[in-house]
Amino acid sequence: MSEHVRLPQPDLARIDIGTVLHALADPVRLRIVRMLTEAGEAACGALDLPVKPSTVTHHMRTLRESGLVEMELRGNSRVSKVRREELDQRFPGLLAAILGAPPAVTDETAGTEGRDGR
């Protein structure tokens, strides 16, 4: 019989919006939240990220401690999901606005227009 153990997570009533915004300011953590939102839930090892597994572990801990994700142990896996309903109650519209924001324009996505000031 497989046992599921939910890891401790903070009470969102005690989480400041600055803590949430700081966690989401990191591009890798924002990518993780987007991936989890799309997938519903995922094991840390199943996330296709451009960083080492130890760095993924650090980012996941930061997301859990900031109240953004909940994590459950399932056998040898840590399965995470975004605390969407709770976050929407605590900070209405915040997550939707952040996840729906278009990415910044970079030199690669801007084309050649505007590079030389014209």
Side-chain angles (χ1 to χ4, degrees):
M1 181 174 151
S2 165
E3 190 173 318
H4 300 241
V5 178
R6 190 173 177 200
L7 294 178
Q9 59 190 1
D11 176 359
L12 281 178
R14 297 181 178 270
I15 296 291
D16 182 77
I17 193 166
T19 301
V20 173
L21 292 174
H22 176 74
L24 291 171
D26 182 277
V28 173
R29 288 194 290 265
L30 179 57
R31 184 172 176 178
I32 290 169
V33 171
R34 284 187 168 134
M35 293 169 85
L36 291 174
T37 299
E38 186 175 310
E41 64 178 30
C44 295
L47 299 173
D48 184 24
L49 297 165
V51 294
K52 296 177 188 178
S54 61
T55 305
V56 173
T57 299
H58 163 75
H59 286 307
M60 295 305 294
R61 186 181 72 241
T62 300
L63 289 170
R64 183 175 55 82
E65 290 175 352
S66 68
L68 283 157
V69 301
E70 65 180 69
M71 195 175 290
E72 187 176 89
L73 295 175
R74 295 184 190 167
N76 293 329
S77 296
R78 291 176 180 235
V79 178
S80 301
K81 67 179 182 177
V82 176
R83 297 173 66 183
R84 187 65 186 253
E85 287 182 30
E86 295 168 273
L87 286 161
D88 286 344
Q89 287 177 2
R90 174 76 170 107
F91 306 109
L94 177 69
L95 202 53
I98 291 172
L99 296 177
V105 175
T106 64
D107 287 342
E108 292 80 31
T109 60
T112 56
E113 219 174 290
R115 285 189 184 173
D116 59 0
R118 288 187 238 168

